[in-house]
Amino acid sequence: MARCSNNLVGILNFLVFLLSIPILAGGIWLSQKGSTECERFLDKPVIALGVFLMVVAIAGLIGSCCRVTWLLWVYLFVMFLLILLVFCITVFAFVVTNKGAGEAIEGKGYKEYKLGDYSTWLQKRVENGKNWNKIRSCLVESKVCSKLEAKFVNVPVNSFYKEHLTALQSGCCKPSDECGFEYVNPITWNKNTTGTHNNPDCQTWDNAKEKLCFDCQSCKAGLLDNVKSAWKKVAIVNIIFLVFLIIVYSVGCCAFRNNKRDDSYTRTYGYKP
């Protein structure tokens, strides 16, 4: 007798198997064709995700359609661990992104960002010198500040102050308003050497395009603001994914019971129904 739950688990895992192919191919492409360290940063995690999805999908497909009970049990065990993992990651993402926001500046279209406003866990990640050196090189290679300069070339200071800047542009490409530097262009400012500044970023600022404020606390805060926004979106996607996993797990449990029932029938009567 046909088992609807077994067939449904088989169909779902076949779709997951098809999805794993482009994910695995994308990871391999990144490892082979990535021209910079930043482009190759995600190759190993993407390859690992592709292989994991492929193996789990094959286990679920064979376990449900071929009635291999032990393989379906392994599949359900892995699915249970995955549900726990996704749940923990989702809760963690909401916890570490519940703090921090840009500070609005009167008369300015952009916001400024302070590292101390964000969660301690995130702060420790960017304050680690090894981590930040890699992130810094990626920011420089992305030319986020060069693009800002090109966009606002020959724009007067009053117009520039009214512009909306991204967190990275505001934190990494210009000095803090507290410094009181004289505007030349979006990434070139004349330092006020006669005054003293409480903000250490004022001393860190450098007009060299490869330096600017990439080592400033405001740049790290701008990055964390981007991370915060991205993680909140990922957390929402994770909730949807979690519901999907629970549904698949429930259907898989039905298929497992079907397999157990068929195995019991086979031991009793010598053939499968």
Side-chain angles (χ1 to χ4, degrees), residues 13-44:
N13 280 283
F14 179 71
L15 294 176
V16 172
F17 176 80
L18 294 179
L19 176 65
S20 69
I21 295 175
I23 293 176
L24 181 59
I28 295 173
W29 184 88
L30 281 174
S31 65
Q32 299 295 324
K33 301 295 183 180
S35 57
T36 66
E37 182 180 351
C38 301
E39 292 176 351
R40 294 190 296 269
F41 178 72
L42 289 176
D43 60 346
K44 291 181 176 61

Side-chain angles (χ1 to χ4, degrees), residues 136-245:
R136 186 188 187 284
S137 66
C138 291
L139 292 175
V140 174
E141 289 174 2
S142 70
K143 299 182 179 179
V144 60
C145 295
S146 297
K147 293 175 183 177
L148 176 67
E149 180 187 30
K151 180 179 179 181
F152 296 111
V153 63
N154 297 325
V155 172
V157 62
N158 291 335
S159 298
F160 174 75
Y161 283 152
K162 295 177 182 178
E163 292 291 341
H164 170 74
L165 304 180
T166 66
L168 286 177
Q169 288 172 338
S170 178
C172 306
C173 303
K174 69 169 192 62
S176 170
D177 277 31
E178 296 178 12
C179 302
F181 293 166
E182 181 184 355
Y183 174 89
V184 178
N185 66 51
I187 64 171
T188 304
W189 300 71
N190 290 331
K191 282 191 173 184
N192 181 6
T193 56
T194 58
T196 58
H197 307 288
N198 293 326
N199 190 337
D201 287 352
C202 300
Q203 301 299 325
T204 305
W205 169 264
D206 194 299
N207 283 323
K209 291 185 177 182
E210 69 278 5
K211 294 182 178 180
L212 300 179
C213 222
F214 287 119
D215 291 317
C216 295
Q217 298 294 297
S218 63
C219 187
K220 298 174 182 178
L223 175 75
L224 292 188
D225 195 78
N226 271 16
V227 169
K228 175 184 174 181
S229 299
W231 277 25
K232 282 190 176 295
K233 294 176 183 177
V234 169
I236 294 173
V237 173
N238 279 352
I239 292 174
I240 299 172
F241 183 52
L242 187 61
V243 172
F244 172 77
L245 286 177

Side-chain angles (χ1 to χ4, degrees), residues 12 15 18 53 59 64 77 91 97 106 119 156 159 201 205 227 231:
L12 290 173
L15 294 176
L18 294 179
L53 290 177
S64 60
F77 179 72
V91 172
T97 58
E106 185 178 355
S119 73
S159 298
D201 287 352
W205 169 264
V227 169
W231 277 25

Side-chain angles (χ1 to χ4, degrees), residues 2-103:
R3 305 288 187 180
C4 180
S5 56
N6 290 68
N7 294 334
L8 184 56
V9 171
I11 292 171
L12 290 173
N13 280 283
F14 179 71
L15 294 176
V16 172
F17 176 80
L18 294 179
L19 176 65
S20 69
I21 295 175
I23 293 176
L24 181 59
I28 295 173
W29 184 88
L30 281 174
S31 65
Q32 299 295 324
K33 301 295 183 180
S35 57
T36 66
E37 182 180 351
C38 301
E39 292 176 351
R40 294 190 296 269
F41 178 72
L42 289 176
D43 60 346
K44 291 181 176 61
V46 171
I47 290 173
L49 176 62
V51 171
F52 173 78
L53 290 177
M54 185 174 290
V55 171
V56 171
I58 291 174
L61 189 62
I62 296 176
S64 60
C65 295
C66 299
R67 311 294 174 84
V68 182
T69 305
W70 71 267
L71 194 57
L72 190 57
W73 184 90
V74 172
Y75 167 78
L76 290 174
F77 179 72
V78 173
M79 286 290 289
F80 178 75
L81 294 180
L82 183 60
I83 289 172
L84 286 180
L85 178 63
V86 173
F87 175 78
C88 292
I89 290 175
T90 303
V91 172
F92 178 76
F94 277 114
V95 169
V96 298
T97 58
N98 68 342
K99 292 178 59 180
E103 179 183 345

